[in-house]
Amino acid sequence: MKGTILSAALAALTLSVFAQPACANEAPHWSYDGDAAPQNWSKLSPDFHLCEQGKAQSPIDIKDALQVHPRPLKLSYQLPPVSVINNGHSVQVNVQQGDFATLDGERFVLQQFHFHSPSENTLNGKSFPMEAHFVHMDADGEIAVIAVMFETGQANPELEKIWQQMPEKAGGEPVALKEKVSLDGLLPKNLTHYRFSGSLTTPPCTEGVRWLVVKQPQTLSAAQLQKFQHVMHHANNRPVQGLHGRVVVAE
């Protein structure tokens, strides 16, 4: 049942968050500021009740993690992504079906990845300039998100290939990526990570999501960060949520 709910939530996410609705009543409008800001998400629709009432919400401030025996994160990212879209909430990169992460002995297939600035998760209270979310789903509809932080520094060549095609206007059609993007260039070589059980960070805030936040940040240039922020016109991060007794482990 949980897998069905998560699968439906991801489908709703793809329809209502990562594409513009065809008509006004197709999905409740939500935002990161104003009357539809995160603190009001639960008031926008009964379907969003977990955004306020949930006890395993994301993002979180990661601290006092419990060190456990490391389970290496295995990624098989070989297919170049195909297009990029600006939906007003984020910049999402659409991928070919086939790349996957192996987690808990199961294959989680990459569905899409997108960006938040500033970061949604924080480390010991520290916020990063940007955070990428690689969203995966297994055969049972369970969702796993691999998060990568970005600090300002050297320009990221793979990010630049995406940014060159990034639409400035929200709500249009996906734009094909002209250059081949290697996902390996968006992730650090060291994939040690923090892990916790959480939720989608956007409505409907569905819980039961496996979160893996990679410890080692990547870099992007100040100009690359400014270009993303200019396109978004606003911060697109949900504030950190309470742990409510959850344990964060370091692997």
Side-chain angles (χ1 to χ4, degrees):
M1 176 62 75
K2 185 173 74 171
T4 302
I5 294 171
L6 283 170
S7 181
L10 183 58
L13 193 71
T14 303
L15 289 171
S16 66
V17 178
F18 298 116
Q20 293 297 312
C23 55
N25 62 359
E26 194 166 307
H29 169 73
W30 60 269
S31 183
Y32 288 100
D33 54 13
D35 292 338
Q39 65 268 25
N40 295 321
W41 284 351
S42 64
K43 302 180 181 71
L44 303 177
S45 168
D47 294 336
F48 297 171
H49 70 281
L50 282 175
C51 299
E52 180 179 6
Q53 298 174 12
K55 301 299 183 184
Q57 290 289 293
S58 296
I60 64 168
D61 180 36
I62 297 171
K63 58 184 178 181
D64 302 323
L66 178 66
Q67 188 68 48
V68 298
H69 183 72
R71 292 177 290 180
L73 177 58
K74 297 179 181 179
L75 301 180
S76 179
Y77 288 171
Q78 299 177 354
L79 301 173
V82 293
S83 63
V84 57
I85 185 170
N86 173 2
N87 53 61
H89 296 113
S90 183
V91 169
Q92 176 184 306
V93 181
N94 300 316
V95 301
Q96 305 177 63
Q97 288 284 305
D99 284 347
F100 63 92
T102 302
L103 183 62
D104 302 329
E106 301 175 49
R107 179 176 292 196
F108 285 77
V109 178
L110 182 64
Q111 306 295 311
Q112 47 93 347
F113 61 95
H114 59 272
F115 302 90
H116 296 270
S117 179
S119 69
E120 297 204 295
N121 294 290
T122 59
L123 299 179
N124 293 310
K126 177 184 177 181
S127 174
F128 290 79
M130 195 172 78
E131 179 176 353
H133 290 165
F134 295 82
V135 182
H136 304 71
M137 188 166 62
D138 72 0
D140 295 325
E142 302 280 335
I143 298 172
V145 179
I146 297 172
V148 177
M149 301 297 189
F150 284 80
E151 292 183 317
T152 50
Q154 290 187 337
N156 187 297
E158 304 308 311
L159 204 60
E160 187 62 29
K161 296 174 186 177
I162 299 170
W163 267 211
Q164 287 175 0
Q165 307 302 129
M166 178 169 55
E168 289 207 12
K169 185 177 179 181
E173 294 296 315
V175 176
L177 293 170
K178 293 181 179 179
E179 293 190 70
K180 183 177 179 180
V181 177
S182 171
L183 297 191
D184 288 341
L186 297 176
L187 292 123
K189 289 182 170 58
N190 184 348
L191 294 176
T192 54
H193 55 276
Y194 301 102
R195 180 169 171 172
F196 62 95
S197 178
S199 72
L200 302 177
T201 64
T202 55
C205 306
T206 308
E207 297 183 343
V209 176
R210 305 181 206 196
W211 276 87
L212 298 90
V213 179
V214 178
K215 294 180 182 180
Q216 181 181 337
Q218 291 287 71
T219 64
L220 81 168
S221 69
Q224 287 177 323
L225 177 63
Q226 289 168 4
K227 184 172 183 178
F228 177 84
Q229 292 174 336
H230 172 75
V231 166
M232 283 289 96
H233 301 297
H234 54 72
N236 68 331
N237 64 312
R238 185 189 190 193
V240 295
Q241 306 295 302
L243 278 179
H244 298 291
R246 283 179 288 170
V247 174
V248 179
V249 298
E251 298 186 352

